[in-house]
Amino acid sequence: MSEADSHADETADEKRAAHAATVRRLEQSSGKLAAAAIARMDATLPWYRAMPPENRSWIGLVAQAGIAAFTEWFRHPDAPQAISTDVFGTAPRELTRAITLRQTVEMVRTTIEVVEQAVDEIASPEGRGALRNALLVYAREIAFATAQVYAQAAEARGAWDARLESLVVNAVVSGEADEGDVSRAAALGWKSPEHVIVVLGSAPNGDSELTVEAIRRAARYAKLQVLTGVLGKRLVVIAGGSDEPLRAAKSLIGPFAEGPVVAGPVVPDLLTATRSAQAAAAGLRACAAWPDAPRPVLADDLLPERAMAGDPVARELLVEEIYRPLRDAGSALLETLSVYLEQASSLEGAARMLFVHPNTVRYRLRRVTDVTGWSPSDVRSAFTLRIALMLGRLGDAEPHA
């Protein structure tokens, strides 16, 4: 063996000996370093001091595991190691909910700084450079591992939240919503707004998650709270925070597929949102009878079509809100409206049939508008009034027990 080879072997042996000595000192100092890291967190991180003892103890275990993992990393720098498992596997998954990603980064940075400041004490002069280099590489890897842990937790939480949201939406649409669904909605961030509506329409083809995210973006822009989901071919949106259903529906209409979009009436809370959902569903079924309906359209604007399609709620509303108020206001209004509609909305024709002046007919029709909210001179309103009169008369004609 040449003198150069002998010298190289001696140098390699010295490096191995220095490395082994540094590893031993690092192992001996691991407990002291972990305690120093925890003490520094307590002194410099207000959020750590404010945490309950249980969570602080878990963070202490993570710091200890991080230093132990670094020791193994330094012992075998070329061996593949799963840092996320070594470090974060000691803490429960719930810890990712208790501390944010930013706080975890601060925790890791503090621990790395403590170890870095102890390099001169731990390593011999010839081993300090290798230890610092290893610490730099480890810091990079632990940063990637931290991001991976939080990404996986966010993905799992997102999938769970999507299933939970789907359960709530389905319960509202099916009429089975209860206090449990209110609690589930609260867990999803629903803040129990005073005004709630349900909007229904066709879901677009493609990834339903992209559709749901598009609804959420539109809701944030419109300052609305939403619970949403794709049920079969329908896109369902429960929107809170607006007492103007048509305006809310217009702000959310972008992600819906072509075809009718129907907004149910405003209700006070999530438990009563079933009423809005049922009205919207009935309106969606009846939209085929009104091809020129606006988009979106209110479920209440589809009352005559809904009544013709057999919706008992629509029939009752037409009778309760139009026919009975007119009947109770006196026979003159009901008779005048009936004759006016039969005379193809002609003031003069109705006046001749009633033997009154056209101004009298005009006055009575204004009273009809005041009583019902529907104007006989408007074609669409006249159709609604006619259906209401028909249903009211049929109800009056039925024998009562």
Side-chain angles (χ1 to χ4, degrees), residues 36-272:
I38 294 299
R40 181 168 297 188
M41 287 183 215
D42 190 61
T44 61
L45 302 178
W47 59 264
Y48 175 79
R49 292 194 300 272
M51 297 189 81
E54 181 182 7
N55 287 342
R56 287 204 302 271
S57 67
W58 282 120
I59 290 176
L61 287 177
V62 171
Q64 292 175 16
I67 294 172
F70 172 63
T71 302
E72 288 302 310
W73 175 278
F74 186 66
R75 187 196 307 274
H76 305 291
D78 298 326
Q81 299 179 46
I83 290 182
S84 62
T85 301
D86 292 342
V87 177
F88 297 103
T90 60
R93 183 177 297 177
E94 291 77 8
L95 192 64
T96 58
R97 289 182 179 267
I99 64 174
T100 65
L101 176 59
R102 179 185 61 80
Q103 291 169 341
T104 303
V105 170
E106 290 177 350
M107 176 188 71
V108 170
R109 181 189 295 122
T110 301
T111 305
I112 294 293
E113 287 174 352
V114 167
V115 177
E116 188 175 22
Q117 290 173 4
V119 166
D120 291 345
E121 178 184 343
I122 294 172
S124 61
E126 57 272 16
R128 290 170 187 168
L131 184 57
R132 284 197 174 92
N133 289 336
L135 191 59
L136 286 173
V137 175
Y138 182 78
R140 182 195 67 187
E141 295 300 320
I142 198 71
F144 288 141
T146 302
Q148 182 181 15
V149 166
Y150 273 83
Q152 290 172 343
E155 186 176 345
R157 188 160 56 245
W160 171 252
D161 286 352
R163 288 193 293 270
L164 199 63
E165 187 171 11
S166 181
L167 286 173
V168 175
V169 171
N170 187 65
V172 169
V173 172
S174 64
E176 299 174 355
D178 55 22
E179 291 294 343
D181 294 296
V182 175
S183 298
R184 295 182 189 99
L188 293 167
W190 182 261
K191 296 181 175 60
S192 300
E194 293 182 357
H195 308 291
V196 178
I197 65 166
V198 176
V199 183
L200 294 182
S202 297
N205 295 326
D207 192 342
S208 61
E209 291 184 7
L210 296 178
T211 301
V212 167
E213 185 55 36
I215 288 289
R216 292 201 179 104
R217 285 198 302 270
R220 286 194 294 270
Y221 183 79
K223 295 180 172 54
L224 295 171
Q225 297 182 49
V226 294
L227 297 167
T228 184
V230 176
L231 304 181
K233 295 183 178 180
R234 283 186 179 177
L235 175 56
V236 183
V237 182
I238 304 169
S242 174
D243 59 354
E244 301 179 59
L246 197 58
R247 183 176 180 180
K250 286 180 178 178
S251 66
L252 301 171
I253 200 170
F256 284 86
E258 292 184 2
V261 175
V262 182
V266 177
V267 292
D269 51 43
L270 191 63
L271 281 178
T272 52

Side-chain angles (χ1 to χ4, degrees), residues 324-365:
R324 287 178 185 165
L326 287 175
R327 185 188 62 186
D328 296 342
S331 60
L333 291 187
L334 199 58
E335 181 185 18
T336 299
L337 175 61
S338 178
V339 171
Y340 177 76
L341 296 175
E342 292 296 333
Q343 294 299 312
S345 301
S346 168
L347 281 172
E348 291 74 12
R352 286 195 298 271
M353 293 293 296
L354 294 168
F355 301 104
V356 296
H357 194 277
N359 285 341
T360 302
V361 175
R362 187 177 288 108
Y363 168 77
R364 291 176 181 176
L365 294 179

